[in-house]
Amino acid sequence: MLSHNQIWSAIDALAQRYGFTPSGLARRAGLDATTFNRSKRIGPDGRERWPSTESIAKILGATGASLDEFMSVVMHRAAAPAPTIPLLGFAQAGLGGFFDGSGLPAGSGWEEVASPGLSDEKAYALEIAGDSMLPIYRDGDIIIVSPAAAVRRGDRVVVMTIEGEVLARQLKRETARTVELASLNPEQPDRVLASSEIAFMARVIWASQ
């Protein structure tokens, strides 16, 4: 008999296999982004909530996976869980309270995503939303950011300003007073920021494409 944990773990594993977070997979399947959130798996009364057969059919259609593949994931999910890192939606990152003064994850509201074999203990993941970073990053893509990694010209970086604006750009040039950032989307302008405007800048070390 299949358990509640087996089914939900299989959905998480299928999402990871095809390069999505659970919320990214839900959106790609045409479902509400929160459909597969961990908070939705147990009701307010403590009773287990199961995904519908319609939801499973939609994620199979979105990934191209067969029912046999899904069931094989269900039946072999007894292995030890993969290491995880903190995950936050890109749009949420600038709302405040999610980072400390060093640009490290802080506070509540973070989810988790499986780590793709990285050993950086300070790394965290951001989930791209929208099309403002096309063609480099698509809606639902995951980027992993390292506050500990050295940043050099040409690197893709995530920058947060002291005003709370969060940018994913390519580092074009950095001086003692300014940081020049090249847009990843040709329709978006490049930016030049004063160093005093920047709360932190961290290098993108992995992306899910």
Side-chain angles (χ1 to χ4, degrees), residues 133-197:
M133 300 176 207
L134 289 174
I136 304 300
Y137 300 135
R138 303 164 297 172
D139 183 60
D141 281 348
I142 300 297
I143 60 174
I144 295 181
V145 180
S146 173
V151 178
R152 301 178 180 86
R153 180 182 295 190
D155 286 342
R156 292 174 186 168
V157 295
V158 169
V159 174
M160 176 177 281
T161 71
I162 59 174
E163 299 295 329
E165 184 180 12
V166 183
L167 305 166
R169 296 286 195 274
Q170 184 175 34
L171 179 61
K172 188 174 181 179
R173 185 168 179 262
E174 183 177 14
T175 71
R177 296 184 179 181
T178 62
V179 173
E180 298 180 27
L181 302 170
S183 176
L184 303 178
N185 185 330
E187 296 183 1
Q188 300 290 328
D190 293 349
R191 296 283 296 272
V192 178
L193 299 173
S195 298
S196 59
E197 295 182 81

Side-chain angles (χ1 to χ4, degrees), residues 25-47:
L25 177 59
R27 284 200 299 269
R28 187 60 61 94
L31 302 169
D32 184 274
T34 64
T35 300
F36 302 141
N37 281 9
R38 294 186 183 279
S39 60
K40 295 290 185 73
R41 303 179 186 187
I42 302 293
D45 58 358
R47 297 178 63 183

